[in-house]
Amino acid sequence: MRNLAFALFLVAPAAALRAPARAAAPRRAASPVRARVHASAAPSVVDVVVIGSGISGSSLGFHLATEQGVPAVLVTEARDDVGGNVISKEADGFLWEEGPNTFQPTAQIMRLAHDVGLADEVVLADAKAPRLVYFEGALYPLPLNNPLVEGALDFKLVSWPGKIRAALGALGVPGILRPYTGVDAYSGEQSAPGVEESIQSFITRHLGREVFEKVIDPFVSGVYAGDPSRLAMQWALKKIHNLEARGANAGLLSGGLERFSELQAERKSDEFIAKWREGAALMKERVTGGALGSFRKGLQALPRAISARLGEDRVRVGRTLRRISAASGGGYVCSFRTAAGAEESVACRAAALTIPSHAYGEILRGLPGADELVAALRAVRYPAVASVTLAYPSSELKAEHGGQLSGFGHLIPRTQGVRTLGAIWSSSLFPERAPPGRTLILSYIGGSRDPQLGTLPTDAIVSIVDGDVKKVLLKEGSSVQPKVLGCRLWPLAIPQYEKGHGKVLDAIAAFEARNPGLFLGGNYRTGVAFGDCVAYGVGEAERIAAALPSLPAPQLAAAAQAARA
């Protein structure tokens, strides 16, 4: 019940509310890759090209080659190292992340870690580490167990009227919880017919205005760096959104209890255990409640381990995709520019693109429906976000922390006059990531409601974050200078699942239907969480493998002609 309660109160992704695993596809014996890829005039031929080696692409490439036994798979990456936006760094005894920071363990992740030799490298934070909200000069821990009891008794951030309103709404009490009629429950604005309900409206309708303002608003800033008045509940937090229709009434508690029972039964089933084997065993043996995980050498250890397992014949870095063309005899030709400036072409039966939606541009020019697709993808916004990692002497922490932070980190409502969205207490979650006597803090700043952040120089961003850390965590008047380990500005950071996103998904499906063998995916389609990206690779590998027998292999002559076009 721990994860269920936490998810219902925070409307946060939790292991207890994850979607069921897909049915296992028939396994086929893997065979050696049959194509090397070199820069040449004549394209090489493979079965599947995966564009992008982030978590989505790496997971997909691995599961195609191993679980699905596809003979010739090639994963390409534009940068000089695999991992996409997952970037782990080490220096002077510190280890930090400059992209995603942790994952919530699932059987899929743990099975993948086992299969690439990282099972013993998984590190798990204390499941009891509190998440906190900074409000009016104080940090308030969020209830982890039963919000209807613990939250009522101990959670001081929300007033008693706010707690009662949230409890009645979660229970689905008629007259308190009302159905959505197109009017935003928070702002009172009327939406056009057919427009999805915002997170702001959904949470206010279910749990009340106060819980939205003090808890959910900062949560959305922390996960999406987004604007909850624009993010669509059914796409951004779809697992929670679906609870409304599941239970005996529209209350989240009823739907959550039903879903929790289903998942408990599923995870004990022979089918689940047989499919996820070591992953299911590791979850049972090592994972407690809402524990968060990483790897001893950081999250990038996973795509690097996948790359090592696939081998250099099946992974190529420094390849920037220029165009995908249809070959006259069937199949496609992917044209690349190498880091050395050479042109390189690879013919394939299928291509899976895991690049960001804003990166398509001219890549698909000339293919049926490409113009309509690119126009739809332009609607997906990516706000600028900076990840800033600073280290401080632990002696500078406020006295209330006892010289050592203990918790996951803190989120900051936009009403508090603090520009930073929130911070991960990295050395609290994983103490080995900082030398003794040092506190490591990863902060995020920017997002949809702070568009000017992307125009600031690095030193200005660091100065703002340092001031915010001092205000929230350090002794009053502290003038200590932090050790600046990293400040990475992501100009186009996190895809926003805003109202109207359903039309984007429809456009993607329509394009795929007109171009058999092209598969579009990534975090703008299947979820932004680390676990969502791993699960995408599992499911998409099954989908592509099922389609391959009906897809023609490109002929070299036709492929060469397409490459020259």
Side-chain angles (χ1 to χ4, degrees):
M1 291 297 295
R2 176 190 179 95
N3 286 335
L4 169 65
F6 182 55
L8 286 179
F9 192 81
L10 294 186
V11 197
L17 298 178
R18 290 188 182 276
R22 302 192 186 196
R27 290 176 60 93
R28 291 180 284 180
S31 59
V33 66
R34 62 171 186 255
R36 276 189 171 289
V37 180
H38 297 290
S40 63
S44 300
V45 179
V46 299
D47 290 313
V48 184
V49 175
V50 178
I51 310 297
S53 72
I55 299 303
S56 295
S58 293
S59 174
L60 174 55
F62 183 81
H63 287 98
L64 281 168
T66 58
E67 291 297 296
Q68 302 303 323
V70 176
V73 176
L74 177 67
V75 179
T76 69
E77 169 61 46
R79 296 171 180 162
D80 61 1
D81 196 2
V82 295
N85 290 348
V86 177
I87 300 173
S88 306
K89 292 197 170 185
E90 288 185 88
D92 300 331
F94 295 94
L95 188 152
W96 69 96
E97 306 284 356
E98 296 195 342
N101 55 78
T102 55
F103 60 77
Q104 191 162 28
T106 65
Q108 293 99 321
I109 294 174
M110 300 300 273
R111 165 75 188 278
L112 180 56
H114 171 274
D115 288 351
V116 299
L118 291 179
D120 292 337
E121 295 297 304
V122 173
V123 291
L124 298 171
D126 183 359
K128 297 179 181 179
R131 285 78 165 162
L132 300 101
V133 173
Y134 179 78
F135 190 79
E136 294 184 350
L139 288 168
Y140 294 88
L142 298 169
L144 292 177
N145 295 305
N146 189 339
L148 298 181
V149 177
E150 180 187 334
L153 297 176
D154 301 324
F155 189 38
K156 297 179 175 60
L157 176 60
V158 176
S159 68
W160 272 104
K163 294 172 185 176
I164 293 170
R165 169 63 181 85
L168 293 176
L171 291 168
V173 174
I176 299 296
L177 175 61
R178 295 183 173 86
Y180 180 60
T181 60
V183 177
D184 188 296
Y186 184 88
S187 68
E189 295 178 0
Q190 176 72 53
S191 295
V195 173
E196 303 97 322
E197 185 176 15
S198 69
I199 291 177
Q200 169 182 278
S201 175
F202 184 94
I203 298 304
T204 301
R205 188 164 57 84
H206 278 269
L207 302 178
R209 177 180 292 264
E210 188 177 358
V211 167
F212 166 73
E213 291 177 343
K214 294 181 177 179
V215 180
I216 305 306
D217 177 64
F219 163 74
V220 171
S221 293
V223 174
Y224 280 97
D227 182 345
S229 70
R230 301 180 63 163
L231 289 166
M233 186 72 191
Q234 76 178 82
W235 306 120
L237 297 174
K238 60 184 176 182
K239 294 172 187 175
I240 306 299
H241 175 268
N242 292 342
L243 298 180
E244 186 176 42
R246 294 190 64 90
N249 57 37
L252 296 179
L253 184 61
S254 176
L257 288 170
E258 180 177 319
R259 183 69 185 126
F260 180 79
S261 297
E262 289 177 358
L263 286 172
Q264 288 292 91
E266 177 195 324
R267 287 168 183 164
K268 295 177 181 178
S269 70
D270 292 340
E271 180 183 2
F272 182 88
I273 294 171
K275 179 169 185 177
W276 300 115
R277 301 194 309 274
E278 296 86 358
L282 286 168
M283 287 291 293
K284 184 176 181 181
E285 295 166 7
R286 297 191 55 190
V287 180
T288 303
L292 294 172
S294 184
F295 299 98
R296 206 171 306 279
K297 291 295 184 180
L299 292 181
Q300 199 173 2
L302 182 60
R304 284 173 174 167
I306 290 173
S307 176
R309 289 299 174 107
L310 290 176
E312 65 177 18
D313 286 336
R314 290 186 281 192
V315 179
R316 285 287 184 269
V317 297
R319 265 67 174 179
T320 300
L321 181 65
R322 301 287 295 262
R323 190 178 174 192
I324 295 181
S325 306
S328 60
Y332 298 91
V333 175
C334 300
S335 300
F336 299 92
R337 172 73 57 82
T338 72
E343 298 295 326
E344 182 176 275
S345 295
V346 181
C348 58
R349 297 164 68 190
L353 292 89
T354 67
I355 59 178
S357 64
H358 58 74
Y360 279 86
E362 296 292 308
I363 286 173
L364 303 175
R365 178 170 49 87
L367 295 176
D371 292 343
E372 295 86 343
L373 172 70
V374 172
L377 293 177
R378 289 197 188 103
V380 182
R381 297 195 311 131
Y382 288 73
V385 175
S387 61
V388 183
T389 303
L390 306 177
Y392 296 87
S394 299
S395 59
E396 289 294 312
L397 294 170
K398 290 180 178 178
E400 64 201 62
H401 298 298
Q404 182 178 343
L405 294 178
S406 179
F408 173 82
H410 63 269
L411 297 171
I412 305 171
R414 296 300 82 204
T415 58
Q416 297 307 294
V418 178
R419 199 163 179 180
T420 300
L421 300 171
I424 308 297
W425 299 354
S426 303
S427 55
S428 170
L429 289 179
F430 309 114
E432 67 282 359
R433 296 196 173 181
R438 305 288 281 181
T439 293
L440 186 66
I441 299 171
L442 166 60
S443 299
Y444 293 98
I445 184 170
S448 292
R449 291 179 284 183
D450 190 1
Q452 295 304 313
L453 185 281
T455 68
L456 297 180
T458 296
D459 58 350
I461 295 173
V462 169
S463 178
I464 293 169
V465 171
D466 175 44
D468 291 347
V469 170
K470 285 183 167 71
K471 181 176 183 178
V472 177
L473 296 175
L474 301 193
K475 296 174 181 177
E476 186 174 355
S478 175
S479 60
V480 66
Q481 292 301 305
K483 182 178 180 64
V484 181
L485 292 164
C487 178
R488 182 178 290 269
L489 175 64
W490 299 96
L492 299 165
I494 304 171
Q496 302 294 293
Y497 286 49
E498 295 182 338
K499 292 183 285 187
H501 195 73
K503 295 178 181 179
V504 176
L505 300 179
D506 290 344
I508 296 170
F511 177 82
E512 288 183 336
R514 297 182 66 180
N515 296 273
L518 290 185
F519 299 85
L520 278 59
N523 62 4
Y524 65 89
R525 188 179 187 185
T526 52
V528 301
F530 192 96
D532 292 335
C533 297
V534 171
Y536 156 82
V538 175
E540 194 76 340
E542 294 174 0
R543 188 165 78 108
I544 293 173
L548 278 179
S550 64
L551 299 175
Q555 302 301 310
L556 280 177
Q561 181 178 3
R564 291 191 295 268

